[in-house]
């Protein structure tokens, strides 16, 4: 027999074989968590698992690099705010463990207390744990309801050895997966019995089929554990919980050929002191200023929750229904912009480096617009923006706005925004219009001056109240106007029918090719249909002249 002397603590490991015995080797890294846990128990070296008590802490344990998790009864009950006396029912524990198992890929060894009843409860427990992907369970030879081993352990009655062996056998018979591990925990030392009792119990549990023996001790030195290991002589893997004899160098346990060391409650206790500190600071200071930099960033929370994966999945699976489609009339050259539109149409003129059309389309998309149809004319092949569908008005040079709209008439099916291609709006304007429920709505600027085209009168002036009654467009006129049309409108499915009918009538006019949008609105009003007004006060810009470009650059910086 070799002996290892450890001067630091004066601990002497006596009566121990020189190396950990060779149990049948199972390759590391198998997919099944049961097999992973079994591999830990049977590995040639001393292995370590750390306590966790919910899905988040389990993930933290895995991220720290541990190969397994101790599903501590003490910690799980504590995080539920109850005592470690089976106050939480076994199904409540199971629920917590399910979250832990779902959030991790490493095996969980559940602290199954006494198995929550007799052999029959144990059978059901094993089945349910297997269903939840738990690697194994540890049961202790005490009586239900148990008390934590560190609370008056000597007054706690131990289970009858034969009864406990029956429970182990029943558990082993119930498991469907051969690698599911049942670890028998011996509480003889905790209850104040000696080494002989501990050995007698361990031997009986081993014979009953336990995959390993957890020998527990509550004294501050490892003497009981080392004495047991020496006598046990590796008849089966040994598991220990050095909570009380924590100052023992880990090498002592290695030399004692301990298979698995459980760090049993330190994640819970670490979070406890952190929470107490932060709660006290916030209470005292009524401010977060001295707390923010000392707590985990929210990004860490999101990362541990896997938020990024969900965002990716949403892109893949969540096909959001668009609120409306859009038709943009962008056939004109914009000759007033001079050289700028020699090779590109007005809608492609860049504002702060980005074409007007692209800005407009991006803003529509942000507001929930789906299909975007752009009626192009002048330099039609230059008209481009991500995802648009181009329609060509080849007679653009000799026709007006209604002829362009006519080209896109078949695209007016459901709710559709109709817009000029040389305008930009604050986003709320587009959002409000897209969300409008009326069948036909025009956006009117009540601050438009005398130089504005498309001036009009409404059923009432802009009273600047969000609670205003619905206001209707009456007619396009320069006489005592209430504002000017901005070039932005929206129709519903029925409104689209009004447009189709009006266009049919207007098409019979000889001057149809010269007609503009205001002619269409007039025709619709004439037919008795209501056109609602959405008043804005500025917050949009029309790019017609060179001077507008500077304003547009300032405008986009403000959006
Ligand atoms: C637990 O972590 O719940 C245990 C270990 O059973 S101990 O608290 O040391 O009993
Ligand atoms: Mg426990």
């Amino acid at each position: 027999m070799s002996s290892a002397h450890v001067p630091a603590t004066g601990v002497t490991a006596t009566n121990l074989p020189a190396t950990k015995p060779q149990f049948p080797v199972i390759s590391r890294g198998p997919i099944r968590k049961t097999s992973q846990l079994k591999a830990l128990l049977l590995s040639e070296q001393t292995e370590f698992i750390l306590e966790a008590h919910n899905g988040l802490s389990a993930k933290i344990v895995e991220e720290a690099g541990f190969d397994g998790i101790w599903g501590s009864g003490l910690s799980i009950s504590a995080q539920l705010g109850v005592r470690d006396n089976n106050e939480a029912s076994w199904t409540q524990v199971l629920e917590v463990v399910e979250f832990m198992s779902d959030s991790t890929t490493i095996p969980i060894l559940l602290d199954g207390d006494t198995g929550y009843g007799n052999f029959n409860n144990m059978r059901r427990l094993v089945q349910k744990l297997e269903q939840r992907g738990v690697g194994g369970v540890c049961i202790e030879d005490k009586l239900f309801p148990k008390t934590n081993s560190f609370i008056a352990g000597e007054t706690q009655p131990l289970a009858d050895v034969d009864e406990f062996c029956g429970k182990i056998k029943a558990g082993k018979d119930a498991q469907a997966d051969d690698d599911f591990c049942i670890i028998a925990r011996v509480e003889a030392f905790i209850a104040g019995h000696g080494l002989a009792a501990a050995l007698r119990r361990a031997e009986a549990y081993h014979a009953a089929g336990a995959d390993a023996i957890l020998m527990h001790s509550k004294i501050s030195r490892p003497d009981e554990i080392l004495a047991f290991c020496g006598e046990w002589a590796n008849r089966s893997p040994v598991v220990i919980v050095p909570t009380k004899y924590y100052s023992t160098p880990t090498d002592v346990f290695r030399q004692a050929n301990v298979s698995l060391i459980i760090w049993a409650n330190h994640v819970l206790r670490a979070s406890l002191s952190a929470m107490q500190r932060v709660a006290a600071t916030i209470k005292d200071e009524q401010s977060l200023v001295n707390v923010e930099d000392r707590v985990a960033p929210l990004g860490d929370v999101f990362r541990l929750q896997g938020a990024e994966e969900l965002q990716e999945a949403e892109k893949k699976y969540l096909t959001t229904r668009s609120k409306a489609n859009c038709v943009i009339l962008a056939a004109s050259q914009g000759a007033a912009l001079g050289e700028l539109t020699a090779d590109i149409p007005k809608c492609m003129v860049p504002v702060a480096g980005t074409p007007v059309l692209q800005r407009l389309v991006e803003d529509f998309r942000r507001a929930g617009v789906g299909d975007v149809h752009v009626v192009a004319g002048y330099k039609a092949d230059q008209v481009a923006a991500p995802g648009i569908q181009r329609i060509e008005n080849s007679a653009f040079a000799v026709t007006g706005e209604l002829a362009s709209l006519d080209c896109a008439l078949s695209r007016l099916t459901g709710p559709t925004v109709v817009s000029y291609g040389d305008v930009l709006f604050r986003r709320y304007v587009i959002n409000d219009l897209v969300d409008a429920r009326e069948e036909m709505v025009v956006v009117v600027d009540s601050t438009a001056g005398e130089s504005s085209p498309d001036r009009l009168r409404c059923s009432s002036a802009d009273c600047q109240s969000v609670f205003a009654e619905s206001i209707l467009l009456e007619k396009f006129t320069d006489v005592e106007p209430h504002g000017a049309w901005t070039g932005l409108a929206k129709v519903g499915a029925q409104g689209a029918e009004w447009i189709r009918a009006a266009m049919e009538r207007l098409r019979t006019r000889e001057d149809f090719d010269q007609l503009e949008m205001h002619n269409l609105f007039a025709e619709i009003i004439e037919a008795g249909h209501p056109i609602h007004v959405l008043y804005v006060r500025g917050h949009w810009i029309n790019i017609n002249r060179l001077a507008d470009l500077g304003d547009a650059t300032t405008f986009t910086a403000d959006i």
Side-chain angles (χ1 to χ4, degrees):
M1 296 295 163
S2 70
S3 69
H5 183 62
V6 183
T9 60
V11 168
T12 304
T14 56
N15 200 18
L16 299 173
T19 57
K20 199 175 165 186
Q22 302 295 296
F23 299 108
V25 173
I26 292 178
S27 64
R28 297 295 297 273
I31 292 174
R32 273 154 51 223
K33 290 179 178 176
T34 50
S35 310
Q36 289 183 49
L37 182 61
K38 191 156 198 163
L40 287 181
L41 284 174
L42 301 183
S43 104
E44 288 172 22
Q45 66 211 28
T46 301
E47 304 284 353
F48 306 88
I49 63 176
L50 179 61
E51 165 268 329
H53 46 272
N54 54 27
L56 186 72
S57 57
K59 247 189 143 73
I60 287 171
V61 170
E62 178 167 12
E63 266 199 2
F66 280 89
D67 291 327
I69 296 165
W70 170 240
S72 159
L74 171 63
S75 298
I76 291 174
S77 57
Q79 64 89 28
L80 289 170
V82 297
R83 288 168 286 218
D84 189 14
N85 290 67
N86 297 118
E87 287 185 344
S89 73
W90 75 277
T91 52
Q92 288 171 325
V93 172
L94 205 63
E95 258 182 44
V96 175
V97 171
E98 186 171 6
F99 279 106
M100 293 166 63
S101 180
D102 287 349
S103 66
T104 49
T105 62
I106 54 175
I108 297 168
L109 172 59
L110 176 68
D111 172 4
D113 289 345
T114 59
Y116 310 109
N118 71 4
F119 79 93
N120 191 37
N121 304 89
M122 177 66 181
R123 293 195 298 192
R124 192 160 166 77
L125 174 66
V126 168
Q127 287 165 350
K128 292 291 145 191
L129 293 178
E130 282 192 329
Q131 287 166 9
R132 280 152 183 79
V134 173
V137 66
C138 176
I139 53 167
E140 63 196 63
D141 55 356
K142 290 209 293 247
L143 300 185
F144 180 91
K146 47 71 50 119
T147 298
N148 185 275
S149 302
F150 300 140
I151 300 176
E154 274 162 40
T155 65
Q156 298 181 28
L158 295 190
D160 173 75
V161 173
D162 292 335
E163 192 269 339
F164 196 70
C165 286
K167 207 182 273 188
I168 295 167
K169 280 187 193 136
K172 291 306 289 178
D173 286 345
Q175 71 186 56
D177 181 331
D178 283 348
D179 287 349
F180 185 87
C181 290
I182 296 181
I183 296 177
R185 165 165 159 181
V186 179
E187 293 277 290
F189 288 135
I190 298 290
H193 304 291
L195 177 62
L199 280 165
R200 190 168 49 83
R201 284 178 175 266
E203 185 51 51
Y205 306 159
H206 174 49
D211 294 285
I213 298 297
L214 189 159
M215 187 54 63
H216 208 8
S217 170
K218 62 180 181 192
I219 59 175
S220 60
R221 293 168 51 87
D223 301 12
E224 291 175 336
I225 297 299
L226 296 179
F228 170 77
C229 288
E231 292 293 333
W232 184 245
N234 303 308
R235 271 169 267 181
S236 71
V238 172
V239 181
I240 62 166
V241 186
T243 303
K244 291 291 183 181
Y245 45 99
Y246 64 88
S247 62
T248 310
T250 301
D251 261 349
V252 171
F253 303 131
R254 285 200 181 91
Q255 285 161 25
N257 298 314
V258 167
S259 277
L260 186 66
I261 295 179
I262 296 174
W263 312 120
N265 45 48
H266 303 81
V267 175
L268 175 88
R269 286 161 62 195
S271 65
L272 208 68
S273 29
M275 289 191 285
Q276 285 166 333
R277 235 186 350 258
V278 164
T281 307
I282 296 175
K283 175 76 175 82
D284 285 352
E285 302 184 359
Q286 298 191 340
S287 163
L288 300 177
V289 74
N290 289 323
V291 163
E292 182 59 30
D293 292 345
R294 287 197 260 140
V295 296
L298 271 178
D300 263 13
V301 180
F302 298 145
R303 182 180 52 74
L304 286 161
Q305 289 175 307
E308 205 172 304
E309 190 279 335
L310 179 57
Q311 280 172 352
E312 288 308 308
E314 279 173 351
K315 280 187 210 148
K316 188 169 170 194
Y317 301 116
L318 212 59
T319 44
T320 42
R321 279 237 323 264
S322 60
K323 294 179 180 174
N325 290 330
C326 177
V327 169
I328 298 175
L329 305 177
S332 66
Q333 176 185 2
L337 290 173
E339 274 300 295
L340 278 179
T341 58
D343 300 318
I344 52 170
K346 182 159 61 162
C347 68
M348 294 305 292
V349 167
V351 171
T354 307
V356 183
L357 181 66
Q358 186 176 328
R359 288 179 176 278
L360 195 56
V361 169
E362 281 170 5
D363 287 344
F364 283 146
R365 289 252 156 76
R366 268 193 206 100
V369 165
D371 293 343
V372 178
H373 306 278
V374 179
V375 183
Y378 176 73
K379 304 279 181 198
D381 55 346
Q382 297 294 314
V383 173
I388 64 162
Q389 296 171 46
R390 206 170 55 203
I391 303 166
E392 223 172 303
N393 173 11
S394 49
F396 71 92
V398 290
T399 59
E401 292 164 2
L402 283 199
S404 282
L405 182 65
D406 213 19
C407 298
L409 215 51
S410 63
R411 318 297 163 93
L412 265 65
T413 47
T416 308
V417 172
V418 179
S419 172
Y420 290 156
D422 58 358
V423 281
L424 290 173
F425 299 86
R426 285 276 181 90
R427 288 189 191 129
Y428 79 87
V429 177
I430 297 174
N431 288 338
D432 288 355
L433 180 72
V434 167
D435 290 340
R437 291 167 178 270
E438 293 87 359
E439 279 304 316
M440 191 166 286
V441 185
V442 289
V443 177
V444 172
D445 182 0
S446 62
T447 67
E450 289 198 346
S451 60
S452 303
D454 291 333
R455 288 194 288 162
L456 43 76
R457 274 193 69 78
C458 305
S459 55
S460 61
D462 179 13
C463 66
Q464 308 215 357
S465 164
V466 282
F467 302 111
E469 286 173 22
S470 72
I471 297 166
L472 298 181
L473 171 61
E474 288 188 340
K475 64 174 172 182
F476 282 79
T477 175
D478 289 340
V479 181
E480 296 182 18
H482 291 130
W485 185 47
T486 58
L488 188 60
K490 184 192 163 200
V491 295
Q494 202 188 358
E497 288 310 316
W498 300 343
I499 289 182
R500 252 185 278 283
M503 290 289 270
E504 211 162 292
R505 292 191 296 277
L506 291 169
R507 244 182 258 115
T508 63
R509 277 172 56 166
E510 271 185 12
D511 61 349
F512 177 72
D513 281 349
Q514 271 64 58
L515 297 183
E516 308 285 5
M517 286 297 288
H518 63 84
N519 299 110
L520 175 66
F521 293 131
E523 183 69 25
I524 289 168
I525 293 167
E526 183 71 27
H529 303 303
I531 299 179
H532 290 261
V533 169
L534 178 63
Y535 275 128
V536 292
R537 291 113 223 156
H539 294 172
W540 70 291
I541 193 155
N542 186 3
I543 298 138
N544 267 326
R545 299 157 300 131
L546 279 172
D548 296 333
L549 277 175
D551 295 345
T553 303
T554 313
F555 180 82
T556 52
D558 286 348
I559 283 182

